Coordinates of all heavy atoms in Angstrom, one line a residue:
M1 N 88.5 -13.5 76.7 CA 87.9 -12.2 76.4 C 88.4 -11.1 77.4 O 87.9 -10.1 77.5 CB 86.4 -12.3 76.4 CG 85.8 -13.3 75.5 SD 85.2 -12.6 74.0 CE 84.7 -14.1 73.3
E2 N 89.4 -11.5 78.3 CA 89.8 -10.6 79.3 C 90.5 -9.4 78.7 O 90.7 -8.4 79.4 CB 90.7 -11.3 80.2 CG 91.9 -12.0 79.7 CD 91.7 -13.4 79.2 OE1 90.5 -13.8 78.9 OE2 92.7 -14.2 79.1
N3 N 90.8 -9.4 77.4 CA 91.5 -8.2 76.8 C 90.5 -7.0 76.7 O 90.9 -5.9 76.5 CB 92.0 -8.6 75.5 CG 93.1 -9.6 75.5 OD1 93.3 -10.3 76.5 ND2 93.7 -9.9 74.4
I4 N 89.2 -7.3 76.6 CA 88.2 -6.3 76.3 C 87.9 -5.4 77.5 O 87.6 -5.9 78.6 CB 86.9 -6.9 75.8 CG1 87.1 -7.6 74.5 CG2 85.8 -5.8 75.6 CD1 85.8 -8.3 74.0
K5 N 88.0 -4.1 77.4 CA 87.6 -3.2 78.4 C 86.2 -2.9 78.4 O 85.5 -2.8 79.3 CB 88.5 -1.9 78.3 CG 88.3 -0.9 79.3 CD 89.3 0.2 79.1 CE 88.9 1.5 79.6 NZ 89.9 2.6 79.3
S6 N 85.6 -2.7 77.1 CA 84.3 -2.4 76.9 C 83.8 -2.9 75.6 O 84.6 -3.0 74.6 CB 83.9 -0.9 77.1 OG 84.5 -0.2 76.0
L7 N 82.5 -3.2 75.5 CA 81.8 -3.6 74.2 C 80.5 -2.9 74.2 O 79.5 -3.3 75.0 CB 81.7 -5.1 74.2 CG 80.9 -5.7 73.1 CD1 81.8 -5.6 71.8 CD2 80.8 -7.2 73.3
N8 N 80.4 -1.8 73.4 CA 79.2 -1.0 73.3 C 78.4 -1.3 72.0 O 79.0 -1.5 71.0 CB 79.5 0.4 73.4 CG 80.1 0.8 74.7 OD1 79.7 0.4 75.8 ND2 81.3 1.5 74.7
T9 N 77.1 -1.4 72.1 CA 76.3 -1.7 70.9 C 75.6 -0.5 70.4 O 75.0 0.3 71.2 CB 75.3 -2.8 71.3 OG1 76.0 -4.0 71.9 CG2 74.5 -3.3 70.1
Y10 N 75.5 -0.4 69.1 CA 74.8 0.8 68.5 C 74.0 0.2 67.4 O 74.4 -0.7 66.7 CB 75.9 1.7 67.9 CG 76.7 2.4 68.9 CD1 78.0 1.8 69.2 CD2 76.4 3.6 69.4 CE1 78.8 2.4 70.2 CE2 77.3 4.3 70.3 CZ 78.5 3.6 70.7 OH 79.3 4.2 71.6
N11 N 72.8 0.8 67.1 CA 71.9 0.5 66.0 C 72.2 1.4 64.8 O 71.4 2.3 64.5 CB 70.5 0.5 66.4 CG 70.1 -0.7 67.3 OD1 70.7 -1.8 67.2 ND2 69.3 -0.5 68.3
T12 N 73.4 1.3 64.3 CA 73.8 2.1 63.2 C 75.0 1.4 62.5 O 75.4 0.4 62.9 CB 74.1 3.6 63.6 OG1 74.3 4.4 62.4 CG2 75.3 3.7 64.5
D13 N 75.7 2.1 61.6 CA 76.9 1.7 60.9 C 77.8 2.8 60.6 O 77.4 4.0 60.8 CB 76.5 1.0 59.6 CG 77.5 0.2 58.9 OD1 78.7 0.2 59.4 OD2 77.3 -0.5 57.9
T14 N 79.0 2.6 60.2 CA 79.9 3.6 59.7 C 79.6 3.9 58.3 O 79.0 3.1 57.6 CB 81.4 3.3 59.9 OG1 81.6 2.1 59.1 CG2 81.7 3.1 61.3
H15 N 80.0 5.0 57.7 CA 79.8 5.3 56.3 C 80.9 4.5 55.5 O 82.1 4.9 55.6 CB 80.0 6.8 56.0 CG 78.9 7.6 56.6 ND1 77.6 7.7 56.1 CD2 78.9 8.5 57.6 CE1 76.9 8.5 56.8 NE2 77.6 9.0 57.8
N16 N 80.5 3.4 55.0 CA 81.4 2.5 54.3 C 82.5 2.1 55.2 O 82.3 1.9 56.4 CB 81.9 3.1 52.9 CG 80.7 3.3 52.0 OD1 79.9 2.5 51.8 ND2 80.7 4.5 51.4
S17 N 83.7 2.0 54.8 CA 84.8 1.6 55.7 C 85.3 2.8 56.4 O 86.0 2.7 57.4 CB 86.0 0.9 54.9 OG 86.7 1.9 54.2
W18 N 85.0 4.0 56.0 CA 85.3 5.2 56.6 C 86.8 5.4 56.8 O 87.2 6.1 57.7 CB 84.4 5.4 57.9 CG 84.4 6.7 58.5 CD1 84.1 8.0 57.9 CD2 84.7 7.1 59.9 NE1 84.2 9.0 58.8 CE2 84.6 8.5 60.0 CE3 85.2 6.3 61.0 CZ2 84.8 9.1 61.2 CZ3 85.4 7.0 62.1 CH2 85.2 8.4 62.3
G19 N 87.6 4.8 56.0 CA 89.0 4.9 56.1 C 89.7 4.2 57.2 O 90.8 4.4 57.5
I20 N 88.9 3.4 57.9 CA 89.4 2.7 59.1 C 89.8 1.2 58.8 O 90.2 0.5 59.7 CB 88.5 2.7 60.3 CG1 87.1 2.0 60.0 CG2 88.3 4.1 60.8 CD1 86.1 2.0 61.2
G21 N 89.7 0.8 57.5 CA 90.1 -0.6 57.2 C 89.1 -1.5 57.6 O 88.4 -1.4 58.6
Q22 N 88.8 -2.6 56.8 CA 87.8 -3.6 57.1 C 88.2 -4.9 56.4 O 88.8 -4.9 55.4 CB 86.4 -3.1 56.8 CG 86.2 -3.1 55.2 CD 84.8 -2.6 54.9 OE1 84.1 -1.9 55.7 NE2 84.3 -3.0 53.7
I23 N 87.7 -6.0 57.1 CA 87.7 -7.3 56.5 C 86.3 -7.9 56.7 O 85.6 -7.4 57.5 CB 88.8 -8.2 57.0 CG1 88.7 -8.3 58.6 CG2 90.2 -7.7 56.7 CD1 89.6 -9.4 59.1
T24 N 86.0 -8.9 56.0 CA 84.7 -9.5 56.1 C 84.8 -11.0 56.6 O 85.8 -11.6 56.4 CB 83.9 -9.5 54.8 OG1 84.7 -10.1 53.8 CG2 83.6 -8.0 54.4
K25 N 83.8 -11.4 57.2 CA 83.6 -12.8 57.6 C 82.2 -13.2 57.1 O 81.3 -12.4 57.2 CB 83.7 -13.0 59.1 CG 85.1 -12.8 59.6 CD 86.0 -14.0 59.2 CE 87.4 -13.8 59.7 NZ 88.3 -14.9 59.2
P26 N 82.0 -14.5 56.7 CA 80.6 -14.9 56.3 C 79.6 -14.7 57.4 O 79.9 -14.9 58.6 CB 80.8 -16.4 56.0 CG 82.3 -16.6 55.8 CD 82.9 -15.5 56.6
I27 N 78.4 -14.3 57.0 CA 77.3 -14.1 58.0 C 76.9 -15.4 58.7 O 76.3 -15.4 59.8 CB 76.1 -13.4 57.3 CG1 75.3 -12.6 58.3 CG2 75.3 -14.4 56.5 CD1 75.9 -11.4 58.9
S28 N 77.3 -16.5 58.1 CA 77.1 -17.8 58.8 C 77.9 -18.0 60.0 O 77.6 -18.9 60.8 CB 77.3 -19.0 57.8 OG 78.6 -18.9 57.3
N29 N 79.0 -17.2 60.2 CA 79.8 -17.3 61.4 C 79.0 -16.8 62.5 O 78.2 -15.8 62.4 CB 81.1 -16.5 61.3 CG 82.1 -17.2 60.4 OD1 81.8 -18.1 59.8 ND2 83.3 -16.6 60.4
S30 N 79.1 -17.3 63.8 CA 78.4 -16.8 64.9 C 79.0 -15.5 65.4 O 80.2 -15.2 65.1 CB 78.4 -17.8 66.1 OG 79.7 -17.9 66.6
F31 N 78.3 -14.8 66.2 CA 78.9 -13.5 66.7 C 80.1 -13.8 67.6 O 81.1 -13.1 67.5 CB 77.8 -12.8 67.6 CG 78.4 -11.6 68.3 CD1 78.7 -10.4 67.6 CD2 78.7 -11.6 69.6 CE1 79.2 -9.3 68.2 CE2 79.2 -10.5 70.3 CZ 79.5 -9.4 69.6
E32 N 80.0 -14.9 68.4 CA 81.2 -15.3 69.2 C 82.4 -15.6 68.4 O 83.5 -15.2 68.7 CB 80.8 -16.6 70.0 CG 79.8 -16.3 71.1 CD 78.4 -16.2 70.6 OE1 78.1 -16.6 69.5 OE2 77.5 -15.5 71.3
E33 N 82.3 -16.2 67.2 CA 83.4 -16.5 66.3 C 84.0 -15.2 65.8 O 85.2 -15.0 65.8 CB 83.0 -17.4 65.2 CG 82.7 -18.8 65.6 CD 82.1 -19.6 64.4 OE1 81.2 -19.1 63.7 OE2 82.5 -20.8 64.2
V34 N 83.1 -14.3 65.4 CA 83.6 -13.0 64.8 C 84.2 -12.2 65.9 O 85.2 -11.6 65.7 CB 82.3 -12.3 64.2 CG1 82.7 -10.9 63.8 CG2 81.8 -13.0 63.0
L35 N 83.6 -12.2 67.1 CA 84.2 -11.4 68.3 C 85.6 -11.9 68.6 O 86.5 -11.2 68.8 CB 83.3 -11.5 69.4 CG 83.8 -10.8 70.7 CD1 83.9 -9.3 70.4 CD2 82.8 -11.0 71.9
K36 N 85.8 -13.2 68.7 CA 87.1 -13.8 69.0 C 88.1 -13.4 67.9 O 89.3 -13.0 68.3 CB 87.0 -15.3 69.0 CG 86.4 -15.8 70.3 CD 86.3 -17.3 70.3 CE 85.6 -17.8 71.5 NZ 85.5 -19.3 71.6
Y37 N 87.7 -13.4 66.7 CA 88.6 -13.0 65.6 C 89.0 -11.5 65.7 O 90.2 -11.1 65.5 CB 88.1 -13.3 64.2 CG 89.0 -13.0 63.1 CD1 90.1 -13.8 62.9 CD2 88.9 -11.8 62.4 CE1 91.0 -13.5 61.8 CE2 89.8 -11.5 61.4 CZ 90.8 -12.4 61.1 OH 91.8 -12.0 60.2
A38 N 87.9 -10.7 65.9 CA 88.1 -9.2 66.1 C 89.1 -8.9 67.2 O 90.0 -8.0 67.1 CB 86.8 -8.5 66.3
I39 N 88.9 -9.6 68.3 CA 89.8 -9.4 69.5 C 91.2 -9.8 69.1 O 92.2 -9.1 69.5 CB 89.3 -10.2 70.7 CG1 88.0 -9.5 71.2 CG2 90.4 -10.2 71.8 CD1 87.3 -10.4 72.2
K40 N 91.4 -10.9 68.4 CA 92.7 -11.5 68.0 C 93.5 -10.4 67.2 O 94.7 -10.2 67.4 CB 92.5 -12.7 67.2 CG 93.8 -13.4 66.7 CD 93.5 -14.6 65.9 CE 94.8 -15.2 65.3 NZ 94.5 -16.3 64.5
I41 N 92.8 -9.7 66.3 CA 93.4 -8.7 65.4 C 93.3 -7.2 66.0 O 93.7 -6.3 65.4 CB 93.0 -8.8 64.0 CG1 91.4 -8.4 63.9 CG2 93.2 -10.1 63.4 CD1 91.0 -8.2 62.4
K42 N 92.7 -7.1 67.2 CA 92.5 -5.8 67.9 C 91.7 -4.8 67.0 O 92.0 -3.6 67.0 CB 93.9 -5.2 68.2 CG 94.7 -6.0 69.2 CD 94.2 -5.8 70.6 CE 95.2 -6.4 71.6 NZ 94.7 -6.6 72.9
A43 N 90.7 -5.4 66.4 CA 89.8 -4.5 65.6 C 88.9 -3.7 66.6 O 88.7 -4.1 67.8 CB 88.8 -5.3 64.7
K44 N 88.5 -2.5 66.2 CA 87.7 -1.6 67.1 C 86.2 -1.7 66.9 O 85.5 -1.3 67.7 CB 88.1 -0.2 66.8 CG 89.5 0.1 67.2 CD 89.9 1.6 67.1 CE 91.3 1.8 67.5 NZ 92.3 1.8 66.4
L45 N 85.8 -2.4 65.8 CA 84.3 -2.3 65.4 C 83.9 -3.6 64.7 O 84.6 -4.1 63.8 CB 84.0 -1.1 64.6 CG 82.6 -0.8 64.3 CD1 81.8 -0.4 65.5 CD2 82.5 0.3 63.2
I46 N 82.8 -4.1 65.1 CA 82.1 -5.2 64.3 C 80.8 -4.7 63.9 O 80.1 -4.1 64.7 CB 81.9 -6.4 65.3 CG1 83.2 -7.0 65.8 CG2 81.1 -7.5 64.5 CD1 83.1 -8.0 66.9
V47 N 80.5 -5.0 62.6 CA 79.1 -4.5 62.1 C 78.4 -5.7 61.5 O 79.0 -6.4 60.7 CB 79.3 -3.4 61.1 CG1 78.0 -3.0 60.4 CG2 80.1 -2.2 61.6
K48 N 77.1 -5.8 61.8 CA 76.2 -6.8 61.2 C 75.2 -5.9 60.5 O 74.3 -5.4 61.1 CB 75.6 -7.7 62.2 CG 74.7 -8.7 61.6 CD 74.1 -9.7 62.6 CE 73.3 -10.7 61.9 NZ 72.6 -11.6 62.8
P49 N 75.2 -5.9 59.2 CA 74.3 -5.1 58.4 C 72.9 -5.7 58.5 O 72.7 -6.9 58.8 CB 74.8 -5.1 57.0 CG 76.1 -5.8 57.0 CD 76.3 -6.5 58.3
S50 N 71.9 -4.9 58.3 CA 70.5 -5.4 58.4 C 70.2 -6.4 57.3 O 69.4 -7.3 57.5 CB 69.5 -4.2 58.3 OG 69.7 -3.5 57.1
R51 N 70.9 -6.3 56.3 CA 70.9 -7.4 55.3 C 72.3 -7.5 54.6 O 73.1 -6.6 54.7 CB 69.8 -7.1 54.2 CG 70.0 -5.8 53.5 CD 68.9 -5.5 52.5 NE 69.1 -4.3 51.8 CZ 68.8 -3.1 52.2 NH1 68.2 -2.9 53.3 NH2 69.0 -2.0 51.4
G52 N 72.6 -8.6 54.2 CA 73.9 -8.8 53.6 C 74.5 -10.2 53.9 O 73.9 -11.0 54.7
K53 N 75.6 -10.5 53.3 CA 76.2 -11.8 53.4 C 77.4 -11.9 54.3 O 78.0 -12.9 54.4 CB 76.6 -12.3 52.0 CG 75.4 -12.4 51.1 CD 75.8 -12.9 49.7 CE 74.6 -12.9 48.8 NZ 75.0 -13.3 47.4
F54 N 77.8 -10.7 54.9 CA 79.0 -10.7 55.7 C 78.9 -9.9 57.0 O 78.1 -8.9 57.1 CB 80.1 -10.0 54.8 CG 80.5 -10.7 53.6 CD1 79.9 -10.2 52.3 CD2 81.2 -11.8 53.5 CE1 80.2 -10.8 51.1 CE2 81.5 -12.4 52.3 CZ 81.0 -11.9 51.1
W55 N 79.7 -10.2 57.9 CA 80.0 -9.4 59.1 C 81.2 -8.5 58.6 O 82.0 -9.0 57.8 CB 80.6 -10.3 60.2 CG 79.7 -11.2 60.9 CD1 79.4 -12.5 60.6 CD2 78.8 -11.0 62.0 NE1 78.5 -13.1 61.4 CE2 78.2 -12.1 62.3 CE3 78.6 -9.8 62.8 CZ2 77.3 -12.2 63.4 CZ3 77.7 -9.9 63.9 CH2 77.1 -11.1 64.2
Y56 N 81.2 -7.3 59.1 CA 82.3 -6.4 58.8 C 83.1 -6.1 60.0 O 82.5 -5.7 61.0 CB 81.8 -5.1 58.2 CG 81.2 -5.3 56.8 CD1 79.8 -5.6 56.6 CD2 81.9 -5.2 55.7 CE1 79.3 -5.9 55.4 CE2 81.4 -5.4 54.4 CZ 80.1 -5.8 54.3 OH 79.5 -5.9 53.1
I57 N 84.4 -6.4 59.9 CA 85.3 -6.2 61.1 C 86.1 -5.0 60.7 O 86.9 -5.0 59.7 CB 86.2 -7.4 61.4 CG1 85.3 -8.6 61.7 CG2 87.1 -7.1 62.5 CD1 86.0 -9.9 61.8
K58 N 85.9 -3.9 61.4 CA 86.5 -2.6 61.0 C 87.4 -2.0 62.1 O 87.4 -2.5 63.2 CB 85.3 -1.6 60.7 CG 84.4 -2.0 59.6 CD 83.3 -1.0 59.4 CE 82.3 -1.4 58.3 NZ 81.4 -0.3 57.9
G59 N 88.1 -1.0 61.7 CA 89.0 -0.3 62.6 C 90.3 -1.2 62.8 O 90.8 -1.3 63.9
I60 N 90.8 -1.7 61.7 CA 91.9 -2.6 61.8 C 93.2 -1.9 61.4 O 94.3 -2.5 61.5 CB 91.7 -3.8 60.9 CG1 91.5 -3.5 59.5 CG2 90.6 -4.6 61.5 CD1 91.5 -4.7 58.5
N61 N 93.2 -0.6 61.0 CA 94.5 0.0 60.5 C 94.9 1.2 61.4 O 95.8 1.9 61.0 CB 94.3 0.5 59.1 CG 93.2 1.5 58.9 OD1 92.7 2.1 59.8 ND2 92.9 1.8 57.6
N62 N 94.2 1.4 62.5 CA 94.5 2.5 63.4 C 94.5 3.9 62.8 O 95.1 4.8 63.4 CB 95.9 2.2 64.1 CG 95.8 1.1 65.0 OD1 94.8 0.8 65.7 ND2 96.9 0.2 64.9
N63 N 93.7 4.1 61.8 CA 93.6 5.5 61.2 C 92.7 6.4 62.0 O 92.8 7.6 61.9 CB 93.1 5.4 59.8 CG 94.1 5.1 58.7 OD1 95.3 5.1 59.1 ND2 93.7 4.8 57.5
K64 N 91.8 5.8 62.8 CA 90.9 6.5 63.7 C 91.0 5.9 65.1 O 91.1 4.8 65.3 CB 89.5 6.4 63.2 CG 89.2 6.8 61.7 CD 89.1 8.3 61.6 CE 88.7 8.6 60.1 NZ 88.8 10.0 59.8
S65 N 90.9 6.8 66.1 CA 90.9 6.4 67.5 C 89.5 5.8 67.8 O 88.5 6.0 67.2 CB 91.3 7.6 68.4 OG 90.2 8.5 68.4
Y66 N 89.5 5.2 69.0 CA 88.3 4.7 69.6 C 87.3 5.8 69.7 O 86.1 5.7 69.4 CB 88.6 4.0 70.9 CG 87.3 3.6 71.8 CD1 86.7 2.4 71.6 CD2 86.8 4.6 72.6 CE1 85.6 2.1 72.3 CE2 85.6 4.3 73.4 CZ 85.0 3.0 73.1 OH 83.9 2.7 73.8
D67 N 87.7 7.0 70.2 CA 86.8 8.1 70.5 C 86.3 8.7 69.2 O 85.1 9.1 69.1 CB 87.5 9.2 71.3 CG 87.8 8.8 72.8 OD1 86.9 8.0 73.3 OD2 88.7 9.2 73.4
E68 N 87.1 8.7 68.2 CA 86.7 9.2 66.8 C 85.6 8.3 66.3 O 84.6 8.7 65.7 CB 87.8 9.3 65.8 CG 88.8 10.4 66.1 CD 90.0 10.4 65.2 OE1 90.6 9.4 65.1 OE2 90.3 11.5 64.6
I69 N 85.7 7.0 66.4 CA 84.8 6.0 65.9 C 83.5 6.1 66.7 O 82.4 6.1 66.2 CB 85.4 4.6 65.9 CG1 86.6 4.5 64.9 CG2 84.3 3.6 65.5 CD1 87.3 3.2 65.0
K70 N 83.6 6.2 68.0 CA 82.5 6.4 68.9 C 81.7 7.6 68.6 O 80.4 7.6 68.4 CB 82.9 6.4 70.4 CG 81.8 6.5 71.4 CD 82.3 6.6 72.8 CE 81.1 6.8 73.7 NZ 81.6 7.0 75.1
S71 N 82.3 8.7 68.3 CA 81.6 10.0 68.0 C 80.9 9.8 66.6 O 79.8 10.3 66.5 CB 82.7 11.1 67.9 OG 82.1 12.3 67.5
H72 N 81.6 9.2 65.7 CA 81.0 8.9 64.4 C 79.7 8.1 64.5 O 78.7 8.4 63.9 CB 82.0 8.2 63.5 CG 81.5 8.0 62.1 ND1 81.4 9.0 61.1 CD2 81.2 6.8 61.5 CE1 81.0 8.4 60.0 NE2 80.9 7.1 60.2
L73 N 79.8 7.0 65.3 CA 78.6 6.2 65.5 C 77.5 6.9 66.2 O 76.3 6.8 65.8 CB 79.0 4.9 66.3 CG 79.9 3.9 65.6 CD1 80.4 2.9 66.6 CD2 79.1 3.3 64.5
E74 N 77.8 7.7 67.2 CA 76.8 8.5 67.9 C 76.1 9.5 67.0 O 74.9 9.7 67.1 CB 77.4 9.1 69.2 CG 77.7 8.1 70.2 CD 78.4 8.6 71.5 OE1 78.8 9.7 71.5 OE2 78.6 7.8 72.4
N75 N 76.9 10.2 66.2 CA 76.4 11.1 65.2 C 75.4 10.4 64.2 O 74.3 10.8 63.9 CB 77.5 11.8 64.4 CG 77.0 12.8 63.5 OD1 76.2 13.7 63.9 ND2 77.4 12.8 62.3
N76 N 75.9 9.2 63.8 CA 75.0 8.4 62.8 C 73.7 7.9 63.5 O 72.7 7.9 62.9 CB 75.8 7.2 62.3 CG 76.8 7.6 61.3 OD1 76.9 8.7 60.9 ND2 77.7 6.6 61.0
L77 N 73.7 7.6 64.8 CA 72.6 7.3 65.6 C 71.6 8.5 65.5 O 70.4 8.3 65.3 CB 72.9 7.0 67.0 CG 73.2 5.6 67.4 CD1 73.6 5.5 68.9 CD2 72.1 4.7 67.1
T78 N 72.1 9.7 65.8 CA 71.2 10.9 65.8 C 70.6 11.1 64.4 O 69.4 11.4 64.3 CB 72.1 12.1 66.1 OG1 72.7 11.9 67.4 CG2 71.2 13.4 66.2
Q79 N 71.3 10.8 63.3 CA 70.8 10.9 62.0 C 70.0 9.7 61.5 O 69.5 9.7 60.4 CB 72.0 11.2 61.0 CG 72.7 12.5 61.3 CD 73.9 12.7 60.4 OE1 74.1 11.9 59.5 NE2 74.6 13.7 60.7
E80 N 69.9 8.7 62.4 CA 69.2 7.4 62.0 C 69.8 6.8 60.8 O 69.0 6.2 59.9 CB 67.7 7.7 61.9 CG 67.0 8.1 63.2 CD 65.5 8.2 63.1 OE1 64.9 8.0 62.1 OE2 65.0 8.4 64.2
Y81 N 71.1 6.9 60.6 CA 71.8 6.3 59.5 C 71.8 4.8 59.7 O 72.3 4.3 60.7 CB 73.2 6.8 59.4 CG 74.0 6.2 58.3 CD1 73.8 6.5 57.0 CD2 75.0 5.3 58.6 CE1 74.6 6.0 55.9 CE2 75.8 4.8 57.6 CZ 75.5 5.1 56.3 OH 76.3 4.5 55.3
K82 N 71.3 4.1 58.7 CA 71.2 2.6 58.8 C 70.9 2.0 60.1 O 71.5 1.2 60.7 CB 72.6 2.0 58.3 CG 72.9 2.3 56.9 CD 74.1 1.5 56.4 CE 74.4 1.8 54.9 NZ 75.5 1.0 54.4
K83 N 69.7 2.5 60.6 CA 69.3 2.2 62.0 C 68.9 0.7 62.2 O 68.8 0.3 63.4 CB 68.1 3.1 62.4 CG 66.9 2.9 61.5 CD 65.7 3.9 62.0 CE 64.5 3.7 61.1 NZ 63.5 4.6 61.5
N84 N 68.8 -0.1 61.2 CA 68.6 -1.5 61.3 C 69.8 -2.3 61.3 O 69.8 -3.5 61.5 CB 67.6 -2.0 60.3 CG 66.2 -1.3 60.4 OD1 65.8 -1.1 61.5 ND2 65.6 -1.0 59.3
S85 N 71.0 -1.7 61.1 CA 72.3 -2.4 61.3 C 72.7 -2.3 62.7 O 72.2 -1.5 63.5 CB 73.3 -1.7 60.4 OG 73.0 -1.8 59.1
K86 N 73.6 -3.3 63.1 CA 74.0 -3.3 64.5 C 75.6 -3.3 64.5 O 76.2 -4.0 63.7 CB 73.5 -4.6 65.2 CG 73.8 -4.6 66.7 CD 73.0 -5.7 67.3 CE 71.8 -5.0 68.0 NZ 71.1 -5.9 68.9
S87 N 76.1 -2.4 65.4 CA 77.5 -2.3 65.5 C 77.9 -2.5 66.9 O 77.2 -2.1 67.8 CB 78.0 -0.9 65.1 OG 77.7 -0.7 63.7
W88 N 79.1 -3.1 67.1 CA 79.7 -3.4 68.5 C 81.1 -2.7 68.4 O 81.9 -3.0 67.6 CB 79.9 -4.8 68.7 CG 78.6 -5.5 68.9 CD1 77.9 -5.8 70.1 CD2 77.8 -6.2 67.9 NE1 76.8 -6.6 69.8 CE2 76.7 -6.8 68.5 CE3 78.0 -6.2 66.5 CZ2 75.7 -7.5 67.7 CZ3 77.0 -7.0 65.8 CH2 75.9 -7.5 66.4
L89 N 81.2 -1.7 69.3 CA 82.5 -0.9 69.5 C 83.3 -1.5 70.6 O 82.8 -1.6 71.7 CB 82.1 0.5 69.7 CG 83.4 1.5 69.8 CD1 84.2 1.5 68.5 CD2 82.9 2.9 70.2
L90 N 84.5 -1.9 70.3 CA 85.4 -2.5 71.3 C 86.5 -1.6 71.7 O 87.1 -0.9 70.9 CB 86.0 -3.8 70.6 CG 85.1 -4.9 70.3 CD1 84.7 -4.8 68.8 CD2 85.8 -6.2 70.5
S91 N 86.8 -1.7 73.0 CA 88.0 -1.1 73.5 C 88.7 -2.1 74.3 O 88.1 -3.0 74.8 CB 87.7 0.2 74.4 OG 87.0 -0.2 75.5
Y92 N 90.0 -1.9 74.4 CA 90.9 -2.9 75.0 C 91.6 -2.3 76.2 O 91.9 -1.1 76.3 CB 91.9 -3.4 74.0 CG 91.2 -4.0 72.8 CD1 90.9 -3.2 71.7 CD2 90.9 -5.4 72.8 CE1 90.3 -3.8 70.6 CE2 90.4 -6.0 71.7 CZ 90.0 -5.2 70.6 OH 89.4 -5.8 69.5
N93 N 92.0 -3.3 77.1 CA 92.8 -2.8 78.3 C 94.2 -2.5 77.9 O 94.7 -2.9 76.9 CB 92.9 -4.0 79.3 CG 91.5 -4.3 80.0 OD1 90.8 -3.4 80.2 ND2 91.3 -5.5 80.2

């Protein structure tokens, strides 16, 4: 996990895939398994919806920068968008 520069947690989600690309993993996978996979593919965001059958690994196509995704999440926090979902924003060294 030495590749990670930061891992910030937010109680919100992005608006659908928000054009940043996404793949899913079964919710039965542990957070550690999902995190390892996200790091392997250099994804910028992991989302665990408040209900659902999947983890969403987003930010895989480099259409949005780390700062753009962070700003979007912070705006969604202010608006209380999907406040029961949990997101982890990753940045890399």
